[in-house]
Amino acid sequence: KQWYQRRVRGIPIGIQPVMAWQPQRVRQPHYTNTSERNNNNSNSNPGVVQPIPGQPTTTVFIGNISERVPDNLIKQVLIKCGPIVSWKRVQDASGKMQAFGFCEYRDPEATLRALRILKDLEIADKALLVKVDQKTKDLLDKHIQKKKSQMKLPENDSSLEEKKKKKKKK
């Protein structure tokens, strides 16, 4: 058969429509792995993860939120800082969203990132207020000290001392 006589699903090849639009794949946040996606119902609550057993979660106060800003937008901004366990924006008795809420992060690194990045971030002409309580500050300080101690090199590195002595002798 000639090329113009070939058919796919009963339609001649030269007449087949070309799909110009293809559905986009929904991307998962970079910090989630397959087990977290399976444990979480990621379709209903993306970016929200389960806390790690035995590891304390850290709570951050987010204030000065404009009334015009939807709750989901704030949640998406918070998720960019790291995996969250929960986000609760306070509502009054009539159901109106208040100008503050509380975000619970799974790990101290995400909390430190949120404090650094979201501090004075302007959303709808209002700068966000990001704070933690004293208990969380103490936990973050311990975490920072632990990271610093892990990053320090041993002070008495014999190979460095030997190299220095050899250079002096020459």
Side-chain angles (χ1 to χ4, degrees):
K1 291 184 174 182
Q2 298 292 334
W3 67 271
Y4 54 85
Q5 291 178 342
R6 290 185 190 156
R7 295 177 175 260
V8 176
R9 294 184 185 167
I11 303 172
I13 290 178
I15 303 175
Q16 294 235 344
V18 177
M19 277 201 69
W21 177 85
Q22 292 187 0
Q24 296 291 322
R25 187 174 73 100
V26 177
R27 295 183 65 194
Q28 295 293 326
H30 68 280
Y31 52 82
T32 59
N33 60 30
T34 309
S35 64
E36 288 174 349
R37 275 187 255 138
N38 293 339
N39 292 340
N40 272 327
N41 188 358
S42 61
N43 293 333
S44 66
N45 222 350
V48 179
V49 295
Q50 297 294 320
I52 298 172
Q55 183 176 349
T57 58
T58 52
T59 304
V60 179
F61 170 83
I62 309 293
N64 202 27
I65 303 170
S66 174
E67 293 175 1
R68 298 182 298 159
V69 178
D71 192 37
N72 284 337
L73 176 66
I74 298 295
K75 185 176 178 180
Q76 291 303 313
V77 170
L78 294 169
I79 287 171
K80 294 296 181 188
C81 294
I84 65 171
V85 175
S86 68
W87 159 245
K88 294 177 184 147
R89 189 166 175 185
V90 179
Q91 296 180 349
D92 63 8
S94 66
K96 181 181 173 187
M97 294 289 187
Q98 295 293 307
F100 65 96
F102 299 92
C103 180
E104 191 175 6
Y105 281 103
R106 183 171 70 176
D107 57 9
E109 283 297 317
T111 304
L112 290 169
R113 195 174 302 116
L115 288 169
R116 187 177 63 248
I117 294 172
L118 302 180
K119 178 185 174 188
D120 298 327
L121 176 70
E122 284 194 21
I123 300 178
D125 298 329
K126 287 181 100 175
L128 289 181
L129 177 66
V130 183
K131 291 185 177 183
V132 294
D133 63 357
Q134 189 60 45
K135 180 182 172 187
T136 304
K137 276 184 187 177
D138 294 340
L139 184 87
L140 293 175
D141 289 340
K142 286 180 185 176
H143 178 73
I144 291 169
Q145 291 302 320
K146 183 179 175 184
K147 274 186 69 175
K148 283 183 180 178
S149 67
Q150 288 174 350
M151 292 176 68
K152 283 186 180 176
L153 294 174
E155 292 179 14
N156 296 330
D157 190 358
S158 60
S159 61
L160 288 175
E161 289 178 10
E162 290 174 12
K163 288 179 183 177
K164 287 180 184 178
K165 288 180 183 177
K166 288 180 181 178
K167 285 183 181 179
K168 286 182 182 178
K169 290 179 181 179
K170 291 181 181 180

